[in-house]
Amino acid sequence: MKKFFIKLFKNKLFVSFAVNALIMVFCIYVSSFSYDSYKDYENSLLISHYHIPYNNTVNYLLAFAVSSIQYIFSTINIFVFAQVIFGWLAFSSITYALTDKFGYKIGIVFSVFLNILFALNHYADIASQKTSAIMLTAGFLLMFNAIRRKRYRFMCLLGAIEILIGSFYCFELFFVALAFAIVYLIADLIAKGKYKIKFHKFMWYFRPFLILFVLITVLTFALHNYSVAVNTQNDTLKGNYEYHQLTEKIANFPYPDYSKNKEAFSNVGITKTEYELLKDGYYDESTPINLDALKLVDSLQKQNNNLITIWDSFVDFLSSSGVSLASFDNDAMLIIIYIIFVTLFLVFHKKTHMFFPILITLQLIVSNSLLRYLFNSYYYTVYISWIMAYCVLLYSIDFTAFKDGCNAMLKAARKGTFFVSAMLVVTLLLVNCLVYQSHLHNNIDTKSRPSRLYVEVERHPERFYILDTKTAIEYTKYSTNYVHPMWGFKSSYLSNVDSFGYMHHNSVLNKKGADSVYRAAISIKNVYVIDNYITYKKENYLKKYYSTEENKSYFYKLETEIDGYKIYSVV
């Protein structure tokens, strides 16, 4: 038994999984553990609660697998649980690659260092883009390690699977990760002087990179295109896919000014009031606030964004970095430590290896600027660029290529190296936890939770409540399944609640004899509207498009107010 445990703890793969499991549990225990974006909650609701695998952001294959497994485990939200497990798998893979190259001491220290900077951010605030970033990073790192060892078996296959899963969560980030991988290849080529050798020998060096990168790129594109084909196989699914694609693109940029584009909006029959409703998330296929209106907004945004240059995005990257440094948040930690690390890399390494930090830093700046230019979204920028830059730079360290004077310094300090490393890691952990705690942005104030309203809604299943779109976000953000993302959805969750947005309980509406939530609001008994905002715009909208000879106007009649939420009937 003793020999078994000794052998087990000498296994790099086991140690990698064990160490990262402890870190994962610690991060979840000390953090708030919530959604980093409302989009992830919506995807979780669709895939895990309603078992709808057709999604514009998550690949169909992954969504189908998660929704199918969810039937078995009703007490756990598999969509969120999968992201936690994939994060643990990715960090474990990174630890394995580092320990396999540098040995246990250096590899574990590097891995803990990376976990301190990135794991808390990942486990505390669940976001598909972060899961995608860490999976892509781990996958390419395993591929680098497979090429270094010239062993293309289990760990190389695992790397390829991780890359594919990462692209399933966010296809666009695959190109950022691939760009960093190509930068590593170029820097490695320069460091080893492979560009000087004869062509046939060079191909022996280049061939593994070429084959693996081409194969994984082809596979990624093929599976992405398959997902798109499934999601657009009929008119209903195509409309759903197009709606979510448009709203996601529109959300990345400011809405165009109505007064400056009045003629364009008037041509499709959209007034200023209807435009305000469209901005708030209202959707009605039978009126002008439909898919065509969203296409118009998207085209106007593109016209406006043509005035923005990549230079503007670069300036924005610098200015946001300056703001982070001034406020000393988690991004500031990444910037400061990265600058220190690059400086040490340049000081200690020989000239041939100096291209690693130079090219990686250039790629870091370029990727951040391009992503801001193309998407203008936080989730597409910081995490993927920084974690790729850190991991690739750490993996590119070559202790045999240190300068002679630096090697002498390291040998003299070898006795105290582990103690100093441990102290630095502990200090970094404490500082990072303090910085994270002082800049919480997703912390939900449970004191404002409308508990009595939830009880009222659940107590009357015969009633049907329709939420204003902005009110719906507030309403669901205080719900148990949002505050505790890992908990499974009850079958009755939101069963008698709908909104004026895009997705609806069509089966419930059909049973009540209504073909839309708007018809249900004005003509069905026991249907109520929950709205915390100004209602006259909605009243004018209903009057314009749903008035009849018998009912020429509609207004919101206040029935009651619970926990600050106003409940109306439309009369």
Side-chain angles (χ1 to χ4, degrees):
M1 185 64 72
K2 185 180 177 181
K3 289 182 179 180
F4 170 77
F5 282 109
I6 291 172
K7 188 176 181 181
L8 191 65
F9 281 102
K10 284 184 178 180
N11 186 290
K12 293 173 185 175
L13 194 58
F14 172 78
V15 171
S16 300
F17 282 125
V19 169
N20 283 279
L22 292 172
I23 293 171
M24 175 186 68
V25 172
F26 171 78
C27 289
I28 293 174
Y29 180 75
V30 301
S31 68
S32 57
F33 191 66
S34 60
Y35 289 105
D36 203 358
S37 71
Y38 194 77
K39 182 67 177 176
D40 265 277
Y41 165 75
E42 290 179 332
N43 286 338
S44 173
L45 191 66
L46 287 172
I47 296 170
S48 289
H49 183 42
Y50 297 125
H51 301 280
I52 300 174
Y54 305 103
N55 194 286
N56 72 306
T57 52
V58 180
N59 189 284
Y60 171 78
L61 293 171
L62 179 62
F64 178 77
V66 169
S67 64
S68 300
I69 296 170
Q70 188 66 68
Y71 283 110
I72 304 170
F73 302 97
S74 59
T75 56
I76 301 174
N77 186 334
I78 298 298
F79 181 80
V80 174
F81 182 71
Q83 293 199 53
V84 173
I85 295 302
F86 285 147
W88 167 64
L89 174 64
F91 280 112
S92 299
S93 298
I94 291 170
T95 302
Y96 173 81
L98 293 172
T99 52
D100 193 55
K101 181 176 181 181
F102 300 115
Y104 277 107
K105 286 185 179 179
I106 296 174
I108 293 295
V109 170
F110 281 177
S111 177
V112 173
F113 169 75
L114 288 170
N115 271 278
I116 290 170
L117 291 176
F118 296 101
L120 184 61
N121 194 314
H122 170 75
Y123 292 123
D125 301 316
I126 295 298
S128 296
Q129 290 85 356
K130 292 180 184 178
T131 305
S132 174
I134 189 63
M135 289 296 283
L136 289 165
T137 303
F140 275 108
L141 214 60
L142 285 180
M143 282 201 165
F144 295 157
N145 200 56
I147 293 170
R148 181 185 65 83
R149 298 186 64 190
K150 296 181 175 63
R151 292 182 182 178
Y152 309 100
R153 296 180 183 176
F154 174 72
M155 295 311 292
C156 183
L157 179 62
L158 179 61
I161 292 170
E162 288 178 347
I163 291 170
L164 291 174
I165 293 173
S167 70
F168 286 174
Y169 278 109
C170 187
F171 176 67
E172 292 83 357
L173 294 188
F174 169 77
F175 301 100
V176 180
L178 182 63
F180 271 101
I182 293 170
V183 163
Y184 172 83
L185 168 62
I186 295 169
D188 188 64
L189 185 147
I190 296 170
K192 293 177 180 176
K194 296 294 183 180
Y195 60 92
K196 298 177 183 178
I197 61 178
K198 293 181 180 179
F199 181 76
H200 70 278
K201 290 185 178 180
F202 170 78
M203 284 306 297
W204 277 104
Y205 160 80
F206 182 64
R207 187 175 62 176
F209 287 98
L210 179 65
I211 293 173
L212 288 177
F213 287 5
V214 169
L215 278 175
I216 199 65
T217 302
V218 169
L219 268 173
T220 302
F221 268 91
L223 294 178
H224 173 72
N225 289 335
Y226 172 77
S227 177
V228 174
V230 172
N231 286 330
T232 57
Q233 60 185 299
N234 57 50
D235 291 339
T236 303
L237 289 175
K238 188 176 181 180
N240 177 59
Y241 183 81
E242 202 168 2
Y243 170 82
H244 287 292
Q245 284 283 88
L246 285 168
T247 50
E248 187 166 314
K249 286 194 290 183
I250 289 168
N252 286 329
F253 297 97
Y255 273 85
D257 192 308
Y258 182 85
S259 57
K260 293 180 181 178
N261 302 279
K262 188 174 181 179
E263 186 178 349
F265 284 114
S266 298
N267 289 338
V268 293
I270 297 177
T271 63
K272 186 172 177 59
T273 298
E274 290 155 11
Y275 183 55
E276 293 299 321
L277 292 177
L278 183 72
K279 287 165 65 176
D280 288 342
Y282 277 69
Y283 187 88
D284 190 350
E285 192 61 47
S286 61
T287 69
I289 53 171
N290 53 23
L291 208 60
D292 291 331
L294 293 173
K295 289 177 181 178
L296 175 60
V297 172
D298 180 48
S299 65
L300 291 173
Q301 281 183 333
K302 286 177 181 177
Q303 292 175 22
N304 296 334
N305 293 338
N306 287 336
L307 303 174
I308 302 173
T309 63
I310 296 178
W311 174 255
D312 294 324
S313 300
F314 172 67
V315 172
D316 179 54
F317 166 61
L318 294 179
S319 62
S320 63
S321 300
V323 171
S324 294
L325 290 169
S327 60
F328 199 70
D329 57 12
N330 290 86
D331 295 345
M333 292 276 293
L334 294 176
I335 295 167
I336 293 168
I337 294 169
Y338 184 79
I339 292 171
I340 294 170
F341 186 60
V342 167
T343 304
L344 291 173
F345 196 107
L346 292 170
V347 169
F348 281 87
H349 271 86
K350 293 178 181 178
K351 289 182 179 179
T352 52
H353 281 68
M354 289 183 181
F355 281 97
F356 280 108
I358 293 170
L359 291 177
I360 291 168
T361 304
L362 285 173
Q363 170 58 19
L364 172 69
I365 295 168
V366 170
S367 64
N368 261 301
S369 302
L370 279 174
L371 287 167
R372 286 170 184 269
Y373 173 72
L374 295 171
F375 300 105
N376 193 33
S377 173
Y378 171 84
Y379 298 107
Y380 284 102
T381 54
V382 174
Y383 205 80
I384 180 67
S385 299
W386 284 110
I387 196 168
M388 279 297 299
Y390 267 94
C391 287
V392 173
L393 197 56
L394 279 172
Y395 192 80
S396 63
I397 292 175
D398 186 355
F399 289 102
T400 62
F402 276 17
K403 295 175 182 176
D404 295 333
C406 295
N407 274 322
M409 289 168 58
L410 286 174
K411 286 177 182 177
R414 181 169 290 176
K415 291 182 179 180
T417 300
F418 183 78
F419 176 76
V420 172
S421 298
M423 290 301 296
L424 286 173
V425 165
V426 171
T427 304
L428 180 62
L429 173 63
L430 292 173
V431 173
N432 195 55
C433 286
L434 288 171
V435 170
Y436 174 81
Q437 188 65 31
S438 62
H439 290 86
L440 285 174
H441 63 283
N442 282 323
N443 198 24
I444 298 171
D445 182 14
T446 52
K447 293 179 182 178
S448 303
R449 187 175 188 267
S451 302
R452 291 192 302 121
L453 178 61
Y454 291 146
V455 172
E456 179 70 14
V457 171
E458 290 178 5
R459 196 172 62 180
H460 294 284
E462 77 283 357
R463 295 178 181 177
F464 195 68
Y465 296 90
I466 303 173
L467 297 168
D468 163 70
T469 49
K470 289 171 70 176
T471 307
I473 295 173
E474 298 168 7
Y475 179 89
T476 50
K477 273 193 173 182
Y478 290 109
S479 66
T480 303
N481 288 95
Y482 194 98
V483 177
H484 302 286
M486 193 79 83
W487 292 10
F489 293 97
K490 292 181 179 179
S491 58
S492 60
Y493 183 70
L494 300 180
S495 60
N496 61 333
V497 177
D498 211 317
S499 81
F500 287 113
Y502 182 77
M503 298 296 291
H504 303 292
H505 290 301
N506 290 322
S507 59
V508 178
L509 291 171
N510 291 335
K511 285 180 182 178
K512 290 184 176 294
D515 59 354
S516 72
V517 288
Y518 296 94
R519 293 287 181 193
I522 62 176
S523 60
I524 306 297
K525 289 183 179 180
N526 286 331
V527 175
Y528 298 91
V529 175
I530 303 176
D531 195 334
N532 274 358
Y533 296 89
I534 298 171
T535 60
Y536 79 89
K537 293 178 183 177
K538 294 100 177 188
E539 291 169 344
N540 291 338
Y541 175 79
L542 292 174
K543 178 182 177 181
K544 182 177 179 180
Y545 292 104
Y546 291 95
S547 61
T548 61
E549 289 297 326
E550 294 79 17
N551 296 297
K552 293 187 177 180
S553 63
Y554 295 98
F555 67 91
Y556 280 36
K557 179 186 175 183
L558 182 63
E559 296 290 345
T560 185
E561 185 173 341
I562 304 175
D563 291 333
Y565 285 75
K566 296 175 180 178
I567 302 177
Y568 300 91
S569 59
V570 181
V571 296

